[in-house]
Each structure stands twice: as C-alpha cells, then as structure tokens.
Amino acid sequence: MNGWTAAGTALLLCGVTPAAYGAASGPVGRRVPAQNLATTLLALVFLLLAQGFGRTAYVDTALVLCVLGPAGTLLYVRLLADRLAVDPPRPRTLRATTRLNYLAVAAVTVALCIAAGPGRAALKLLVIGALLVLGSRVAGRALTAVAAADGRPAPTDGASDG
C-alpha cells in the first residue's frame, strides 16, 4: 500500500461512508446534499486509487461519475421538489457541504496534478476537477432554488408573461 491508496482508503472510510449514510437515511433535506457530496468524494477516491494502482482506467470512471453524479442530484431535486419545499436543506449545511466539495476537489486535484507532471494526464485531472466543482455548484444552486420556492407552484412550461 502506498500513500495514494492510503489516502483513497481514508477518504472512502472517513468521507464517502458518512455521506452515503446521510444519503440513505434521515430527512430529504439532508439526503440530497449528502448524495451530491458522496458522488463527489467517490470520484476523488477513484482518482486517488488510479494513481495508487497505476491504472488509468479508474480516471475514466471518475470522469463518468463527475458527469453523472450532479445529474443524479438534479434529478432527485426535480423529483423531490415538493418534499424539499416542505423540508428544505438548512442553508448552513448546504454551504458547508458545497465548501467541503470545493476543498476536497482542490486538494486532491492539485496533489495529483503535481504527481502527474505536465502533460495530458494533468490536463485531464484539471478537467475532472473543474467538472466536479461545476457540478457541485449547479446542484447547490438547484437545491437553494427549491428551498427558496417555499411551496409555491412552479410555472408551467410554455407560460409567457405577455
């Protein structure tokens, strides 16, 4: 076991496991942000394990997860909008999970880019990091928008103001 696999295992046990527990239990206002956090941390675990085992296929798995994770969160926000309006996530919790996403992505991506050196691998890691940050930002804004709706009905498709 090297440092990369140890870091990946530690992130899996200390980060993904509590986030997955939060996504599987509790009120809806806690489950959806926890699901977003779990997918981001799991993508980072794949990146760390890819470096630790020397397998570039795991980087592709992280790339797929960084695209599908936020899409899953947006799907949950859309499907659970009425329940989220009744029991919205706490703004402090939402800000904390978003900042934790940013911090974890920056720490892992910078360390892996330094280890990879200049080249295509580092560029791919930076793209994955940017997608993870962007996905976390979009999912957080969607949750904030649903929480701000306060049970108001959403406008129908095709409605116009004029």
Side-chain angles (χ1 to χ4, degrees), residues 7-8 14-16 31 35 46 62 78 81 91 94 98 114 127 137:
C14 299
V16 176
R31 285 186 290 179
Q35 184 266 339
F46 283 134
R78 177 72 175 153
L94 193 56
T98 304
I114 291 170
V127 167
R137 175 79 174 153

Side-chain angles (χ1 to χ4, degrees), residues 39-135:
T39 57
T40 301
L41 294 179
L42 192 59
L44 296 176
V45 166
F46 283 134
L47 289 175
L48 289 168
L49 293 179
Q51 181 69 27
F53 293 134
R55 305 237 178 189
T56 57
Y58 295 167
V59 176
D60 295 337
T61 307
L63 179 62
V64 169
L65 190 59
C66 78
V67 172
L68 294 180
T73 303
L74 292 175
L75 180 67
Y76 284 136
V77 168
R78 177 72 175 153
L79 292 175
L80 300 173
D82 55 340
R83 293 172 82 187
L84 283 168
V86 172
D87 183 25
R90 288 187 224 137
R92 258 178 88 185
T93 305
L94 193 56
R95 280 193 305 272
T97 57
T98 304
R99 287 183 183 144
L100 181 61
N101 275 342
Y102 294 162
L103 181 66
V105 168
V108 170
T109 305
V110 167
L112 288 172
C113 283
I114 291 170
R120 287 180 58 185
L123 182 62
K124 190 173 187 179
L125 289 169
L126 289 173
V127 167
I128 291 172
L131 286 173
L132 285 170
V133 167
L134 182 65

Side-chain angles (χ1 to χ4, degrees), residues 5-35:
T5 57
T9 304
L11 186 59
L12 182 66
L13 294 176
C14 299
V16 176
T17 303
Y21 177 76
S25 63
V28 174
R30 184 180 79 190
R31 285 186 290 179
V32 177
Q35 184 266 339

